[in-house]
Amino acid sequence: MPLAFLKGETAVGQYLIEGGHKLEGRVRIQGSKNAVLPMMAAALLQRGTVILRHCPRIDDVRCMEEILRYTGARTWWQEENLFLDCSKIVTGEIPGAYADKMRSSVFLLGSLLPRLGSAAVSYPGGCTIGLRPVDLHVKLLRNLGAELTEHSGGISARAETLRGCRHRFPRVSVGATENGILAAVLARGETVLENCAREPEIFHLCRFLRKMGASIRGEGSSVICIQGQRELQPAQTEVPPDRIVAGTYLLAGAAVRGEVELCGAPVEEMGALLSVYRKMGGQYEVKSGTLFTDSRRVGKIPVQIATGCYPGFPTDLQSPLAAVCATIRGRSRIRETIFEDRYQAALEMRKMGAKVEISRGNLLIQGGRLYGAEVLAGDLRGGAALILAGLAAEGRTKIRPSRYVERGYEHIEEDLTALGGKIRKAVQE
Ligand code: EPZ
């Protein structure tokens, strides 16, 4: 199977932005990256074809598609619907190059083990936001009866049968909770998972698995009970809108004091952001499925927040929020509590004149004017944050490489251009 997707990066994509333009108008929110990736892994648990409607065409989905094809699945698109035919899965040995490209390959263990009885993935590459260990996944799968051997390159797992168990996660982990659910739905007997993550993506995964015939209770709370089934059936589902993309675009409007309408935004999943937005002077209302935001009064009230597990302020919007704080007079303070190294983008904004420092684990930002500069993106949400800073800055900003942002934002430059932003993507040979 050609690893077409993983061809070397020869041309470096970059975003070119001319700042200082207001954002106004309407944008439709894409399907959720962090909801669809575990759903794609879940497809391996059944022997027919599943359909994921309103699926975002982003690089992480393309990478997961390549991985599924590598295992023997057939995948194809009809408009924005992704079809996954998992009738013939022949291997669970995932090449290392994929894990380096995308961390989410680790929760393929949870779906390949019940399907094939064996699987192997490399250690997902750490990234600039932290080490990203997988010990919580390993402990859980062993508790379900899998034999896992860890070696320098990664993890090999075997399990004739997985047996239900009671498992308490030592710390809250979205991916480990998802892996646990995927591994337990076909395990023998009942599994009770305690101290689970409560993110909406877990709720969406469970709803999809229930359509496939799984027996799951408690998603959205910290205790999830699963009755193992003999087999699951094909199903189809709508990929929910991406709460982090919606939050990014709301914050883009805030960065330039614009008025942005987010069509299809999952408002019920955005409570923590909306309360911070209101505190900083933002105004919003929801009418027939659209979130209308008005940021004309943003700019005078600095922000004090800490990120947290859902329903707390999402770590994935921490860097985009930092970009808005860099434009708000006064001193804002942001505390990242989920990842150990997620201030890189804010520090990079110093090149744009942002007054940013880290003191006792807090990000302190003295807001003021930003100026266009050449900056480097080191992760997905950090790259998005730099785009927001570029929109607010005076002059031109160049952000390289574009590949991180392309992992999770389906058409950010088109969306922001449609709202009046001056941004385009170019390729630097
Ligand atoms: C998911 O990552 C998301 N990714 C992340 O979004 C998100 O930031 C994160 O959850 C937290 O909400 C996807 O859903 C694909 P965790 P995940 O396991 O599952 C530590 C984005 O930008 N940990 O909840 O990897 C870990 O290092 C991405 O879309 C262990 O120590 O996050 C982190 O400090 C970035 N051992 C904390 O737990 C483990 O075995 C939370 O991580 C696993 C995690």
Side-chain angles (χ1 to χ4, degrees):
M1 178 66 65
L3 305 187
F5 178 75
L6 300 170
K7 64 186 183 311
E9 293 275 354
T10 46
V12 175
Q14 53 191 359
Y15 292 104
L16 304 172
I17 299 169
E18 181 189 280
H21 300 274
K22 269 221 184 308
L23 296 183
E24 283 172 348
R26 188 177 183 80
V27 68
R28 168 161 289 283
I29 302 304
Q30 72 180 59
S32 165
K33 167 179 88 79
N34 291 348
V36 75
L37 291 174
M39 289 177 178
M40 292 175 76
L44 289 165
L45 294 168
Q46 54 80 47
R47 297 175 184 277
T49 298
V50 305
I51 307 171
L52 303 177
R53 294 192 304 275
H54 190 219
C55 186
R57 285 178 187 264
I58 52 179
D59 281 357
D60 270 11
V61 166
R62 288 187 192 93
C63 185
M64 187 62 98
E65 250 194 290
E66 290 265 351
I67 294 175
L68 293 181
R69 283 207 205 114
Y70 190 84
T71 67
R74 286 192 322 117
T75 76
W76 67 96
W77 291 77
Q78 276 176 15
E79 290 163 358
E80 44 176 25
N81 306 319
L82 175 60
F83 291 69
L84 304 173
D85 172 357
C86 297
S87 50
K88 293 183 186 57
I89 301 302
V90 294
T91 177
E93 312 280 317
I94 309 302
Y98 287 119
D100 294 344
K101 199 91 186 163
M102 185 184 67
R103 265 188 58 71
S104 315
S105 43
V106 70
F107 50 55
L108 283 164
L109 284 174
S111 41
L112 284 166
L113 266 178
R115 178 70 190 258
L116 294 173
S118 71
V121 289
S122 315
Y123 280 123
C127 52
T128 52
I129 63 175
L131 293 171
R132 315 291 296 273
V134 291
D135 56 308
L136 299 173
H137 299 251
V138 171
K139 222 173 264 153
L140 161 84
L141 293 171
R142 281 189 173 136
N143 217 354
L144 281 164
E147 290 155 37
L148 278 82
T149 41
E150 298 187 67
H151 40 82
S152 55
I155 305 171
S156 303
R158 300 190 58 73
E160 287 315 308
T161 40
L162 292 167
R163 284 188 180 67
C165 69
R166 177 176 286 276
H167 181 85
R168 177 174 182 74
F169 290 105
R171 55 180 295 186
V172 172
S173 157
V174 173
T177 301
E178 291 165 342
N179 231 343
I181 294 165
L182 291 167
V185 288
L186 291 175
R188 281 235 184 103
E190 180 180 59
T191 297
V192 178
L193 301 175
E194 296 173 344
N195 199 24
C196 294
R198 299 165 52 197
E199 269 64 9
E201 290 73 33
I202 286 156
F203 176 85
H204 297 301
L205 173 64
C206 291
R207 196 178 52 170
F208 178 43
L209 285 165
R210 206 174 284 118
K211 286 184 181 176
M212 292 164 67
S215 166
I216 305 172
R217 280 181 298 112
E219 69 277 11
S221 78
S222 57
V223 180
I224 297 177
C225 300
I226 298 151
Q227 289 296 344
Q229 305 298 302
R230 292 186 59 76
E231 63 176 15
L232 297 183
Q233 309 306 324
Q236 55 176 297
T237 196
E238 183 82 13
V239 176
D242 193 312
R243 63 189 173 103
I244 304 301
V245 170
T248 305
Y249 289 172
L250 177 149
L251 290 168
V256 296
R257 318 297 187 249
E259 295 171 77
V260 172
E261 301 169 17
L262 305 171
C263 187
V267 177
E268 68 289 350
E269 298 174 359
M270 299 170 67
L273 170 66
L274 288 169
S275 102
V276 170
Y277 178 61
R278 184 177 274 140
K279 280 196 198 118
M280 65 164 72
Q283 296 177 296
Y284 69 89
E285 61 174 342
V286 185
K287 272 191 294 196
S288 51
T290 294
L291 174 58
F292 291 80
T293 68
D294 178 348
S295 298
R296 286 174 296 178
R297 290 172 184 71
V298 170
K300 301 174 194 62
I301 308 165
V303 168
Q304 322 278 339
I305 62 119
T307 64
C309 302
Y310 192 87
F313 189 90
T315 173
D316 293 347
L317 288 176
Q318 181 258 102
S319 298
L321 178 68
V324 179
C325 292
T327 70
I328 294 176
R329 274 202 303 280
R331 192 164 89 158
S332 293
R333 192 180 65 236
I334 297 178
R335 181 169 191 76
E336 170 62 50
T337 66
I338 305 293
F339 289 104
E340 65 270 26
D341 190 10
R342 204 167 195 180
Y343 295 144
Q344 297 307 314
L347 294 172
E348 187 71 3
M349 289 173 206
R350 284 172 166 169
K351 294 178 184 172
M352 303 171 76
K355 293 182 182 49
V356 173
E357 57 175 304
I358 297 173
S359 157
R360 290 202 295 277
N362 291 303
L363 190 60
L364 304 179
I365 303 170
Q366 186 65 34
R369 304 177 80 87
L370 293 175
Y371 303 92
E374 289 205 17
V375 289
L376 295 175
D379 71 280
L380 163 56
R381 309 301 174 184
L386 291 169
I387 288 176
L388 270 52
L391 292 169
E394 277 173 45
R396 293 171 187 273
T397 296
K398 183 188 286 186
I399 300 168
R400 291 181 285 124
S402 61
R403 67 172 180 275
Y404 292 106
V405 173
E406 290 160 349
R407 290 185 46 189
Y409 292 88
E410 194 172 12
H411 22 61
I412 190 166
E413 66 277 11
E414 287 102 330
D415 286 343
L416 294 174
T417 300
L419 292 172
K422 296 277 180 274
I423 172 175
R424 67 186 178 86
K425 191 158 66 173
V427 173
Q428 184 188 37
E429 290 304 329

